[in-house]
Amino acid sequence: MEIQLKDSNTSDAASLAVHKSPVVEFLERFFRSNSAVIGLVLLLILVAAALFAPVFAPYDPYESNMPNALTAPNSAHLMGTDELGRDIFSRILYGARISLVVGVQAVSLALICGVVLGAVAGYYGGKVDTVIMGFMDVMLSFPSILLAIAFMTVLGRGIDKAVIAIGIVSIPQYARIVRSSVLSVKENVYVTAARAIGNGDGRLIFVHILPNVLAPIIVRATIGISDAILEAAALGFLGLGVAPPTAEWGTMLGSGRQTIFNAPHIVTFPGLAITMTVMAFNLLGDGLRDVLDPRLK
């Protein structure tokens, strides 16, 4: 009798060990991924810097001090000053807010539009698919930065305009991913069963199909934020992004290129901030891709 109880307890423990909740399994796999953890740590540092910029910034990022213009990094100014004597470290902290907001909002806009268009095209197929994806292919035939420049020329400068421009040019990437994912799962048994019991097209798409194709969308959105930040910086560098004197990394690079040889710190530190941010999102996206890939379980 004791042996049977022991065997029963052992089998129950083994069963509990095997049947872990999806959340616990995801967290275990996530924290085993070095790239995901490093990306998350870097991202948390950036978010903290953006949220607590007024606390960490030693100076007003918009206060000019011409006698201290182009000062090299020192104990008073950790990253030196720009051509107007403004503290670069303070401006980089405040610039993190602009870059993260533009990146997240632009990807959110592209994600919403791309998911809807891709899901409709993949689910209905036929002429609907041809028209939607044909338009997406036309957009993809142009470099995204050129399309963003065209939209910014029409819309004008500003954070909200940059979000709209970058979001629109990013829609085709998400539409194609969602369309291919929907095509691969829309004929599965659970979708056929849901259709047989009377579910409408809208419920089939957004309740039964899209939740099962989230993994590639999440990975692409994470990496897409880094792309959006790079495009926002490129627009700022070209003078088409956020209007001065707003502290934005691309604008800081653009205004400092004239003094790059006698004061290289003006472009070095904003460039490093952009590099660190892009690397954080790319590492996190690569890690999520490995964690969410069922073939690697």
Side-chain angles (χ1 to χ4, degrees):
M1 188 67 179
E2 291 181 359
I3 294 176
Q4 292 179 350
L5 290 174
K6 289 181 180 179
D7 291 341
S8 177
N9 292 334
T10 302
S11 62
D12 291 342
S15 177
L16 290 174
V18 172
H19 298 290
K20 297 178 181 178
S21 70
V23 176
V24 172
E25 185 178 359
F26 170 80
L27 291 175
E28 288 180 352
R29 288 171 55 80
F30 182 88
F31 287 105
R32 285 200 302 266
S33 173
N34 292 331
S35 61
V37 172
I38 294 173
L40 179 62
V41 170
L42 291 176
L43 183 58
L44 290 176
I45 293 173
L46 289 167
V47 171
L51 290 177
F52 300 103
V55 177
F56 297 142
Y59 300 94
D60 185 338
Y62 304 112
E63 182 180 357
S64 299
N65 187 2
M66 292 304 297
N68 287 332
L70 302 180
T71 300
N74 54 50
S75 58
H77 300 278
L78 296 178
M79 296 182 179
T81 60
D82 63 9
E83 68 279 4
L84 297 179
R86 296 171 297 192
D87 183 65
I88 292 178
F89 178 64
S90 300
R91 290 180 62 77
I92 285 179
L93 290 177
Y94 278 84
R97 293 180 165 186
I98 303 296
S99 295
L100 291 176
V101 166
V102 170
V104 172
Q105 290 185 352
V107 168
S108 299
L109 173 62
L111 192 61
I112 293 172
C113 297
V115 166
V116 172
L117 291 174
V120 170
Y123 182 81
Y124 289 105
K127 293 182 179 180
V128 174
D129 183 23
T130 301
V131 172
I132 292 177
M133 299 316 298
F135 186 67
M136 297 296 105
D137 290 339
V138 171
M139 292 183 65
L140 285 172
S141 65
F142 295 93
S144 59
I145 187 63
L146 291 182
L147 279 180
I149 290 173
F151 282 116
M152 290 299 293
T153 303
V154 174
L155 297 173
R157 304 178 68 172
I159 298 175
D160 53 341
K161 311 297 193 308
V163 168
I164 294 173
I166 296 171
I168 291 175
V169 301
S170 302
I171 289 174
Q173 303 172 17
Y174 300 96
R176 292 184 68 85
I177 292 173
V178 174
R179 172 185 176 272
S180 62
S181 299
V182 170
L183 286 174
S184 65
V185 303
K186 72 175 184 178
E187 300 300 334
N188 285 354
V189 175
Y190 62 86
V191 178
T192 304
R195 185 183 294 111
I197 62 175
N199 285 281
D201 291 344
R203 184 174 180 81
L204 287 173
I205 293 173
F206 294 102
V207 176
H208 297 284
I209 295 178
L210 283 181
N212 292 283
V213 298
L214 284 179
I217 301 174
I218 292 173
V219 172
R220 178 56 205 159
T222 305
I223 299 177
I225 295 177
S226 67
D227 294 339
I229 291 173
L230 275 177
E231 290 179 358
L235 291 173
F237 180 81
L238 296 173
L240 297 172
V242 180
T246 303
E248 193 271 327
W249 295 338
T251 305
M252 293 171 66
L253 284 174
S255 62
R257 67 178 182 271
Q258 297 177 352
T259 57
I260 187 173
F261 293 107
N262 60 336
H265 64 276
I266 294 182
V267 296
T268 299
F269 292 110
L272 289 175
I274 295 172
T275 302
M276 178 180 174
T277 306
V278 171
M279 182 174 64
F281 281 105
N282 284 343
L283 287 174
L284 183 60
D286 289 340
L288 287 175
R289 180 187 58 198
D290 296 338
V291 171
L292 296 173
D293 191 344
R295 294 171 297 181
L296 299 178
K297 290 184 178 181

